[in-house]
Every structure is written in structure tokens, then in C-alpha cells.
Amino acid sequence: MAALKILVIPGSLRTGSLNAKLAAVAAHRLAQAGTDVTRLSLADFPLPIYDGDLQTKSGVPKNAVDLKRMIGAHHGVLIVTPEYNASVPPLVKNTIDWVSRVADPNESRGQVFRDRAFAIASASRNRLGGARSLAALRLILAACQAFVIPDQLALAFADEAYDEMERLKHPPDIEAMGAMVRQLIDVSQRLM
Ligand SMILES: Cc1cc2nc3c(=O)[nH]c(=O)nc-3n(C[C@H](O)[C@H](O)[C@H](O)COP(=O)(O)O)c2cc1C
């Protein structure tokens, strides 16, 4: 059987991003579990803020189409999002909004969300670990009819969560990451 392909999407472009770091740890863990992992940067897919007039005039931007096709080339997706004002940052929401407008030939709009498993994680310096952004992201993905796995990871005190090798150092975080990775793999395999 072909290797399971998982796409990891960090929801921050910031240098030194806590979420990009968590995405790197997750990608490593997924690779250790035998999956074929791609970790992208949304900096490679810049998009204007969604505007219906822009879409009417120029269509969906190529970067949104490319990103949608990249998602479509994977069996499962992990989104690692920061929390901004108790919700997802505009980068994450805007990216999902544009991708949800892509209509490729021979499939219905939004099918890319319905056909694969999604996992969600967040990292924050505070004790909630971005859990409210996960609640918001789960709702957004549910509106896109994505299957979002129940296990998730909200990494609290994320600036103190790593050892000198950039590995998670606290057992509960390691366990939560392991459970999420296992469940994403299981569900992605079932939907393959
Ligand atoms: C506009 C703004 C709003 C924020 N609101 C929250 C928040 O509601 N909850 C939280 O945990 N952190 C909040 N933060 C702090 C971010 O979690 C922190 O900047 C984090 O490092 C961003 O993720 P990154 O390191 O991956 O870029 C906010 C930051 C910004 C810039």
C-alpha cells in the first residue's frame, strides 16, 4: 500500500513562531510513525483578503487553487493555529475561505474538505494553550463539512514546553501529541 500522505499547515508566518515549532514537532512525529509528511509555509501561498468582487472579477487566486490541490494530494491534514483574541488569526480564516471557493473540474466545491481527515492543534504562552482558537477552527472546518478528529492538542505555556533538542518535554504534552497523531493516521487510513 502507498504511504499515507499527511500535510502539516502552520497558521503563523512569524519568525520564531510557537505554532510553526509545534508543527515541526508534529511533522517529525508523523514521519516517525511512517507517514509521508509535507510541511508547508503559508508564506508560499500569499492571498489577498477575501473579497467577493475580486473573485467575480479575477476568479479565485492561483495560490488558493494550488493550495487546494496540495491539500487534495494528501490523505490527512494537520492545521496548527495561533489564537488571536480568542479565535483563529485572519491568515488561517482567510486561507480556508479562499480554498473553500475553489471549484476544480469534476468535483464539487469544498469536496477537498469533505474527503479527508483534519486534525487541529495550537500553541500559546498562556495556560489555555490556544484552546479557544481550536474551538473556533473546529466550527469553521465543520461548516466546510470536514471530518475533524476528536483528539486535539492545545499546548499551554508553549515557550517553556521544549527541551534543548526542541522536543516536547512534558509527558502530558507528549501523550496528547501521540494520541492526536495516532488518531489522524487511523482516520486518514480509513478514508483513503
Ligand atoms: C492580535 C493578537 C491577539 C492575541 N490574542 C491571544 C489570545 O486570545 N489568546 C492567546 O493565547 N494568545 C493571544 N495572542 C498571543 C499569541 O498567542 C502569541 O503572539 C503567539 O506567539 C502567536 O503565535 P505564533 O508564535 O505561532 O506566531 C494574541 C496575539 C496577537 C498578535
Side-chain angles (χ1 to χ4, degrees):
M1 197 201 277
L4 192 75
K5 292 174 67 116
I6 304 288
L7 183 64
V8 178
I9 306 179
S12 172
L13 308 179
R14 195 178 67 81
T15 305
S17 159
L18 297 169
N19 287 275
K21 199 163 160 177
L22 185 59
V25 171
H28 182 65
R29 189 72 186 255
L30 283 158
Q32 277 182 328
T35 68
D36 182 356
V37 186
T38 310
R39 177 162 48 104
L40 59 71
S41 168
L42 291 177
D44 295 328
F45 300 87
L47 289 165
I49 290 288
Y50 182 83
D51 172 355
D53 287 345
L54 183 64
Q55 187 189 344
T56 303
K57 205 166 72 188
S58 322
V60 176
K62 182 175 181 302
N63 280 340
V65 175
D66 289 349
L67 185 56
K68 178 260 163 195
R69 289 180 186 162
M70 190 151 189
I71 294 170
H74 290 77
H75 302 105
V77 180
L78 168 64
I79 302 175
V80 187
T81 182
E83 179 171 287
Y84 281 7
N85 294 319
S87 189
V88 292
L91 174 69
V92 173
K93 181 66 164 62
N94 191 53
T95 300
I96 293 173
D97 288 346
W98 271 121
V99 168
S100 74
R101 303 311 292 167
V102 177
D104 259 336
N106 302 321
E107 56 177 65
S108 55
R109 183 177 284 159
Q111 196 173 323
V112 74
F113 291 103
R114 296 190 289 274
D115 283 356
R116 53 197 33 80
F118 285 76
I120 55 177
S122 62
S124 161
R125 283 184 185 80
N126 74 19
R127 70 187 164 80
L128 294 180
R132 293 169 302 179
S133 69
L134 294 186
L137 181 55
R138 193 172 280 280
L139 198 62
I140 294 162
L141 290 170
C144 296
Q145 298 180 3
F147 182 82
V148 186
I149 64 164
D151 276 345
Q152 61 185 32
L153 171 58
L155 185 67
F157 307 115
D159 48 339
E160 298 161 15
Y162 297 92
D163 65 15
E164 66 288 347
M165 304 279 287
E166 308 246 300
R167 294 172 304 205
L168 292 173
K169 66 180 179 191
H170 301 305
D173 296 337
I174 296 168
E175 264 169 48
M177 170 67 81
M180 183 185 68
V181 161
R182 277 193 302 278
Q183 200 171 67
L184 178 59
I185 291 172
D186 282 354
V187 177
S188 301
Q189 264 163 350
R190 266 187 267 144
L191 295 179
M192 236 171 134

